[in-house]
Amino acid sequence: MSPTPVRFRDPRATLADFASSVLVRCPRCERIAHFERRPCTPPDADGRRYPHTRIVCRSCGLCRIDIGAGRSSRYSSDCSCPALWLRAGTRHGELWAYNLQHLDLIRRFVAADLRERAPWYDTGRKMTLVARLPAWMKSAKNRDDVLRTVDRLRATVIAPH
């Protein structure tokens, strides 16, 4: 008797669901840092709204906050998103993730023998994050390589420093 297949059901997550909290490389010390985007600030006098972004590094103490165009904070005003921390090349292509939740979703999808999507007649999101994954990542013949890379990336965050 064969073992029960691992089943994955698409949670209909999109990339935007993971974009508010991103693990990045610190621009000062090159170690892991946390970048986050918060909802827009209240409208200014002109009626414009600006997103609130912040980068924090626990290793070197870097804290940069940007509260929108034309405004400044007491920390810093340049808070553009630096390079992703969870990024690695494989012989098939580059694998990347915004954070551990995003990486976990990719891992559960790749590891599954049975991958289920919502029915065609459902009116929900059609092009979810897992539907947009590259073909080499979805292929069963590349499963071991992709899972090894995912585990290696996860270890860079979980491992004690």
Side-chain angles (χ1 to χ4, degrees), residues 22 31 35 49 71 74 89 119 147 160:
V22 181
R31 295 181 120 183
F35 177 83
R49 301 173 71 98
R71 300 179 182 192
R74 62 187 186 126
L147 291 177

Side-chain angles (χ1 to χ4, degrees), residues 5-69:
V6 178
R7 176 176 278 179
F8 176 85
R9 291 189 186 191
D10 190 351
R12 295 186 182 178
T14 63
L15 202 54
D17 295 333
F18 300 103
S20 63
S21 176
V22 181
L23 296 175
V24 296
R25 190 168 303 278
C26 176
R28 185 188 294 167
C29 70
E30 296 292 318
R31 295 181 120 183
I32 190 168
H34 182 254
F35 177 83
E36 66 179 19
R37 286 184 188 97
R38 292 189 178 172
C40 293
T41 59
D44 62 4
D46 298 332
R48 291 178 289 187
R49 301 173 71 98
Y50 298 104
H52 179 114
T53 58
R54 176 173 83 159
I55 184 170
V56 177
C57 177
R58 289 187 176 184
S59 297
C60 67
L62 174 76
C63 182
R64 291 184 182 168
I65 300 174
D66 185 10
I67 53 176

Side-chain angles (χ1 to χ4, degrees), residues 107 145 152:
R107 187 183 203 306
D145 292 337
R152 192 173 64 235

Side-chain angles (χ1 to χ4, degrees), residues 1-157:
M1 181 173 233
S2 64
T4 307
V6 178
R7 176 176 278 179
F8 176 85
R9 291 189 186 191
D10 190 351
R12 295 186 182 178
T14 63
L15 202 54
D17 295 333
F18 300 103
S20 63
S21 176
V22 181
L23 296 175
V24 296
R25 190 168 303 278
C26 176
R28 185 188 294 167
C29 70
E30 296 292 318
R31 295 181 120 183
I32 190 168
H34 182 254
F35 177 83
E36 66 179 19
R37 286 184 188 97
R38 292 189 178 172
C40 293
T41 59
D44 62 4
D46 298 332
R48 291 178 289 187
R49 301 173 71 98
Y50 298 104
H52 179 114
T53 58
R54 176 173 83 159
I55 184 170
V56 177
C57 177
R58 289 187 176 184
S59 297
C60 67
L62 174 76
C63 182
R64 291 184 182 168
I65 300 174
D66 185 10
I67 53 176
R71 300 179 182 192
S72 63
S73 69
R74 62 187 186 126
Y75 299 107
S76 176
S77 62
D78 180 29
C79 199
S80 60
C81 187
L84 288 176
W85 182 264
L86 297 172
R87 168 177 267 160
T90 68
R91 63 183 177 166
H92 310 289
E94 188 174 43
L95 186 132
W96 58 270
Y98 282 154
N99 51 39
L100 288 176
Q101 294 81 15
H102 185 188
L103 194 65
D104 181 56
L105 179 70
I106 293 171
R107 187 183 203 306
R108 288 186 293 122
F109 176 78
V110 171
D113 295 325
L114 180 61
R115 301 167 180 167
E116 296 179 355
R117 293 187 63 195
W120 64 270
Y121 51 82
D122 195 1
T123 58
R125 296 176 181 156
K126 300 294 185 210
M127 289 304 287
T128 62
L129 185 131
V130 296
R132 292 175 182 259
L133 288 175
W136 64 266
M137 201 178 293
K138 295 178 184 181
S139 176
K141 70 180 181 180
N142 300 330
R143 181 175 291 151
D144 293 335
D145 292 337
V146 174
L147 291 177
R148 195 173 320 124
T149 304
V150 167
D151 291 340
R152 192 173 64 235
L153 285 173
R154 184 173 179 78
T156 65
V157 176

